[in-house]
Amino acid sequence: MRLSSRVKLGVNIDHVATLRQARKEAEPDLLAAARVCRQAGADSVVVHLRRDRRHVQDEDLRKLCAAPGRVHLEISSEPAMVAAALKARPDSVCLVPERPGEVTTEGGLNLAKSGRAVKAAAARLKAKGVGVSLFIDPEAAAVRAARSLGADTVELCTTAYCAARGQKAVAQELERLELAAYLAYEMGLEVHAGHGLAYHNVKPVAAIPHLGGLNIGFSIVARSVFVGLKAAVSEMKELVS
Ligand code: PXP
């Protein structure tokens, strides 16, 4: 069953590629994974093309973008990464910070520090018709900066929400997300959120007013080991719908 919802679900399949790269074989096939995600209700497929190419490869990106369905790409703002994106032409790109050696993205962009590079990357992408999202912490200053740097969308980082322990701390983090979402919406930005979300903590985030999309990867791919990718995606789709 296909559920339609206000909150679109982007399924990040990086870790399908992580499994494949463990043996550098052809399986599991990323294109097949993308198809299953879409059949199960994913509104887009998300991949992070890392500088170190530790999981997704340029050729994966090329094939995913050539196949039917929306592809949302995460990259750093480096000119070489923007060039790789423009070669493949995903529907949209989220610019993220990337620290060499990090296990996963460690938080939102520091726009005070990287504003110039982000602005240049955003302009190059937008000039070619690629939608631009900026991954930011849920803070008013970051929302304002994202707007001024040319973002169409902000993706609010949910890491702190996911890491919060105890009712009060969780409520505080949720409120930060709600306030940032409201401000972004008021400024005319599309609002997305993601990172670290899982089946047990996604519902309050999905219920945030003005939220248009969630990008979720690790928890879905982890659950797919036990229930299969199709069931893992549709269970998540049902929770966010
Ligand atoms: N959003 C952004 C900007 C990310 O960098 C990632 C991880 O690639 C995700 C969402 C998905 O995070 P997770 O795999 O923890 O669900």
Side-chain angles (χ1 to χ4, degrees):
M1 185 179 56
R2 234 196 151 112
L3 298 168
S4 68
S5 105
R6 167 182 72 87
V7 178
K8 297 208 181 321
L9 176 64
V11 176
N12 182 314
I13 56 172
D14 288 351
H15 297 303
V16 175
T18 300
L19 180 57
R20 183 195 62 194
Q21 294 307 100
R23 285 288 175 95
K24 300 209 167 45
E25 297 281 354
E27 302 288 328
D29 179 61
L30 227 55
L31 237 68
R35 273 196 300 275
V36 170
C37 290
R38 292 198 172 98
Q39 282 161 9
D43 298 283
S44 62
V45 162
V46 185
V47 286
H48 186 163
L49 186 70
R50 289 188 162 271
R51 268 179 298 212
D52 63 9
R53 307 299 197 269
R54 75 168 83 137
H55 39 53
V56 174
Q57 308 297 304
D58 296 70
E59 184 61 5
D60 294 325
L61 181 63
R62 188 192 66 74
K63 286 183 184 163
L64 285 167
C65 291
R70 284 190 67 80
V71 176
H72 179 65
L73 174 68
E74 297 167 0
I75 50 166
S76 73
S77 304
E78 267 179 53
M81 298 311 302
V82 176
L86 290 175
K87 207 166 153 193
R89 291 292 182 96
D91 298 278
S92 51
V93 164
C94 182
L95 298 173
V96 300
E98 212 179 286
R99 185 181 65 77
E102 69 184 7
V103 172
T104 180
T105 314
E106 290 173 338
L109 290 159
N110 179 345
L111 293 174
K113 209 171 125 198
S114 62
R116 190 189 288 240
V118 168
K119 190 174 182 179
R124 277 180 75 193
L125 291 161
K126 286 180 75 165
K128 299 286 182 195
V130 179
V132 174
S133 173
L134 299 186
F135 188 52
I136 58 168
D137 293 320
E139 288 160 8
V143 174
R144 290 195 192 96
R147 178 82 182 80
S148 74
L149 293 172
D152 307 300
T153 300
V154 284
E155 179 172 338
L156 303 175
C157 177
T158 50
T159 310
Y161 163 79
C162 296
R165 293 293 170 264
Q167 262 186 4
K168 197 173 160 204
V170 172
Q172 267 170 3
E173 290 302 331
L174 196 60
E175 194 180 335
R176 282 180 71 210
L177 289 164
E178 283 167 354
L179 290 172
Y182 182 71
L183 179 62
Y185 166 79
E186 283 288 301
M187 298 188 91
L189 294 161
E190 165 106 17
V191 189
H192 293 174
H195 201 267
L197 293 170
Y199 297 83
H200 68 278
N201 63 14
V202 75
K203 271 194 148 215
V205 179
I208 291 175
H210 313 302
L211 190 85
L214 288 172
N215 293 322
I216 308 177
F218 183 79
S219 62
I220 293 176
V221 176
R223 180 144 178 79
S224 76
V225 171
F226 298 103
V227 302
L229 187 56
K230 191 170 177 197
V233 172
S234 41
E235 283 174 23
M236 189 60 86
K237 179 73 180 178
E238 222 167 312
L239 288 172
V240 308
S241 295

